[in-house]
Each structure stands twice: as structure tokens, then as C-alpha cells.
Amino acid sequence: MSTIVRAAVLSAVGEPVRIESLGLIDPRPGEVRVRILASGVCHSDLHVRDGEWDRPTPIVMGHEGAGVVEAVGPGVELQVGQPVALSWLIPCGTCRACRSDRPWACPASPSFRHRLLDGTIPFRRACPSGPDGGESVLAYCAIGTMAEAVVVPAAAAIPIPDGVDPAVAALIGCCVTTGVGAVLKTANVESGASVAVIGLGGVGLSCVMGAVLAGASRIVAIDRAAAKLDTATAVGATDVIVAAPHAGETLAALRDLTDGGPDYVFEAIGLPATVELAIESLPLGGAAVLVGMTPLGARAAFEVYPFVDGSRRILGSNYGFADPGVDFARYAQLHLDGRLPIDRLIDRRIGLDDLEVAFDAMRDGRYTRQVVVPG
Ligand SMILES: NC(=O)c1ccc[n+]([C@@H]2O[C@H](COP(=O)([O-])OP(=O)(O)OC[C@H]3O[C@@H](n4cnc5c(N)ncnc54)[C@H](O)[C@@H]3O)[C@@H](O)[C@H]2O)c1
Ligand SMILES: [Zn+2]
Ligand SMILES: [Zn+2]
């Protein structure tokens, strides 16, 4: 038995994503089928689509999704109808990182193989010679959320409290957990610190919201697109800078606003030039937290002597050091309590067929967070 679903498939990197009808396997022991109600468009999807990272194809796109449990395999405790957000990093549970409470650093996750735990590929193209004969289609990060429904390991489906908009829950699946976690967990920003955020997409604005939760005294938001600065102010930035074409001007403005440089600066774009700007802006003892992901192979440079002499730090942050089973519910509750205005990031809802249009808009820096509603 299998279900037929529409899904956004990348057949070869650099080519447009196409919407196809695929067969989806039924959930087996330890697996659940989730009806996807919302899937955010994250810049990581665009890196994959444009071939900036090395990912296998054909693959169902998407890794920032939420929905409801529609069917469960044997041995699964989740109930049908339970709202869930999907985690794009499913910890193996047994490696050294998992055993030392660092699930975000798990090197053995099935998410990296884009398959279910036993290696099974959940989607299949139709084949005229029989229902099981078509080509397999991988699921990005083992969850492939740009589809009407997905079958995932139960550990990837994290319960979300009732009353949370599925689009908000979807963002908790990637950009919110990444940005808020970078501030609260990776950097552990202390109350009263000064913070700068470079790049104000879903990830950077989540860093801004995280800085508010941390009690930062000054939160400087930087982007080249002026419209993003208004959203940053709406979610708690105290100051904004329109990024100048010359980094020196941006640097001077940032130093002016932060008494010589921010205690913490979050780079949320993934460009060597802005990584270098972040590091150069640091005062004595300051920390640059790198959250944006560059194309593979990109390098950045900095002057070593003042970096060491000034006890400055560079931290990398993957998935906001997430423990999804704990953090998703915490971020959802903060949202319900009015302390994490995730809904303000969502400014466009589209269908699956408009994904390529959404990628074009993202390349141009238009919209804050676009959300695909597949149904
Ligand atoms: N570390 C992680 O675990 C993790 C998780 C998710 C996403 N990411 C990465 O974070 C980055 C941001 O993702 P997003 O979805 O928020 O992206 P986005 O495209 O929505 O936002 C990027 C922002 O940067 C701005 N920008 C681009 N170039 C600029 C420049 N030169 N100067 C100033 N502003 C500039 C754009 O206007 C836009 O507002 C991506 O590289 C993505 O792959 C990392
Ligand atoms: Zn993402
Ligand atoms: Zn592990």
C-alpha cells in the first residue's frame, strides 16, 4: 500500500524544482505519516537548489515543516491528530555526541542520508509497469517537507501544543530554533550585553528575538534590504543599519552604536565578506557567532594578532544547539505567552507550485519568511 502525494522534487542541482505526484510508503514500526500543513522556505533550501552544497538527487525538498500526525506504525506513542513540527536533525542516540548531550553535533544522523533509519527511501515515482517499479526519491534531511505528506522516523515528529499556527510551528522546525538557540544556547548571551545581527531573514530575525529574550541592552540589526529593518524593529531591535556597499561604513556605524563594537555579533547570511565584517567588529573579549552557511569551500580571513591579543572568539552554531524534544515545546510556549513573535516573520503564504517564484524572491531579498501551504 502507498499514498499518492504531490511533492516538490529537485531532479538535478541547478535545475528548477518540479511538482510531481509520488508514491509514499505507509509508516512501518517506529515511523509516522505527517500531513504537512506548512513548510517554510529557508535559504538552506536555496543553497541545495542552486547546487552550492553537495546533496544527492532526486530529492523532495524542504526541512522546515509542521503538520498533524495522520497515521502511525507499530510501537509509536504519538496519537493520530497530534500537531507536530519536524526536526531536520534526528539524533542517532548512540554516538559520542549524543551520549554527551550534544545531539546537534551527531555525525551519524539518518538526516545526512536523506532516508529513513534503515536506509529505506520513502518516496517513489510512478512506473507504468507496476506500483513499486518507479525510481526512488530521497527526502531532504529524512523529512522532505515540501510535500502534502511525509513518512518520517517518530523521533523527528516533535509534539507542539494546541493553538500554535502550523506556519509558526514550521518555523520552529528550523529558523527559530537556529536563531534563538544560537543566542541562548551557543553564545549564552548574558543580560545587558550588546548584540549585533547581520542578515535579517528568518534566521537573523530569530537571533534578534533571542537577544530580546536574553535581555540584551542593545540589539543592532543590519541588512541591505531596508524593509527587513522594520520587521527587526517590530520584533525588538533597538537600532538598525542599512548595510553600506563598503563594509567600512557599516563597521563604523556599528562601532558608534555599540561603544566600540558589539559583545556578540551573529552572522546570519553565509557570505565570507559579512563573516569578516562580523569578526572585525568585535571589541576586546567579543564573540562572533557564525550561523549563516556559505557555499561549500568558501573561506574567510582575519588578522590573527589582534584577535588573539584581544581574547576574541569565533563560534560556529549548527541548529542552535537544538535538543528538539525539549526546545521546540519551549519555543512554542514562549510564542503562546507572547514573548516570541514568530508570526511577524511570516509575510507570504504560497502553494507548492510557486516554490520557484519564492526562490527568486529570496535571491532578491524580498519577503521575510515565505511559507508553502501544500494542500
Ligand atoms: N547554522 C544553521 O544551522 C542554519 C540553519 C538554517 C539556515 N542557516 C543558514 O542561515 C543563512 C540565512 O538563512 P535565511 O533563511 O534567514 O536567509 P534569507 O535569505 O531569508 O535571509 C538572508 C538576509 O541577508 C540579507 N543579505 C544578503 N546579502 C547581504 C549583504 N551583503 N549585506 C547585508 N545583508 C545581506 C538579505 O537581504 C536577507 O534579508 C543561510 O545561509 C542558511 O543556509 C543555517
Ligand atoms: Zn533551514
Ligand atoms: Zn548521534
Side-chain angles (χ1 to χ4, degrees), residues 53-96:
W53 300 347
D54 186 20
R55 298 289 183 271
T57 54
I59 193 164
V60 172
M61 300 287 287
H63 64 280
E64 186 177 86
V68 290
V69 174
E70 189 174 63
V72 298
V76 171
E77 287 179 8
L78 286 166
Q79 302 292 315
V80 169
Q82 169 70 52
V84 291
L86 298 181
S87 164
W88 58 251
L89 206 160
I90 305 157
C92 78
T94 56
C95 75
R96 194 173 63 167

Side-chain angles (χ1 to χ4, degrees), residues 86-175:
L86 298 181
S87 164
W88 58 251
L89 206 160
I90 305 157
C92 78
T94 56
C95 75
R96 194 173 63 167
C98 287
R99 282 187 280 110
S100 44
D101 286 336
R102 290 181 292 118
W104 64 89
C106 174
S109 167
S111 309
F112 302 132
R113 299 190 291 276
H114 313 288
R115 296 158 185 255
L116 293 162
L117 292 174
D118 65 353
T120 297
I121 299 176
F123 295 105
R124 196 170 278 280
R125 282 178 163 141
C127 174
S129 61
D132 298 324
E135 183 187 13
S136 303
V137 182
L138 297 158
Y140 185 58
C141 290
I143 58 175
T145 57
M146 297 284 186
E148 291 173 324
V150 292
V151 169
V152 300
I158 311 295
I160 292 289
D162 287 336
V164 177
D165 175 356
V168 166
L171 268 57
I172 290 174
C174 184
C175 68

Side-chain angles (χ1 to χ4, degrees), residues 41-47 53 63-64 88 174-175 178-179 198-205 222-225 228 243-244 267-271 273-274 290-294 317-320 362-369:
V41 183
C42 174
H43 206 113
S44 299
D45 298 313
L46 187 52
H47 287 302
W53 300 347
H63 64 280
E64 186 177 86
W88 58 251
C174 184
C175 68
T178 298
I198 308 175
L200 303 172
V203 174
L205 288 165
I222 304 170
D223 201 289
R224 65 181 178 189
K228 305 288 176 103
E267 200 281 350
I269 307 170
L271 292 174
T274 41
L290 307 187
V291 188
M293 307 279 286
T294 64
S317 182
N318 188 38
Y319 210 2
M362 179 173 265
R363 284 189 196 92
D364 294 344
R366 280 184 286 127
Y367 302 106
T368 299
R369 204 53 156 196

Side-chain angles (χ1 to χ4, degrees), residues 282-287 304-313:
L282 295 176
L284 294 178
V304 178
Y305 185 91
F307 187 86
V308 180
D309 190 51
S311 301
R312 294 165 169 92
R313 293 177 293 150

Side-chain angles (χ1 to χ4, degrees), residues 207-283:
C207 293
V208 171
M209 295 191 294
V212 172
L213 289 173
S217 59
R218 194 128 214 188
I219 306 169
V220 183
I222 304 170
D223 201 289
R224 65 181 178 189
K228 305 288 176 103
L229 304 176
D230 296 337
T231 313
T233 305
V235 301
T238 59
D239 302 89
V240 296
I241 299 173
V242 181
H246 300 293
E249 286 173 43
T250 309
L251 190 59
L254 178 54
R255 286 191 171 137
D256 270 0
L257 286 167
T258 52
D259 192 21
D263 297 320
Y264 297 90
V265 54
F266 295 83
E267 200 281 350
I269 307 170
L271 292 174
T274 41
V275 167
E276 290 170 359
L277 170 67
I279 296 168
E280 200 169 345
S281 74
L282 295 176

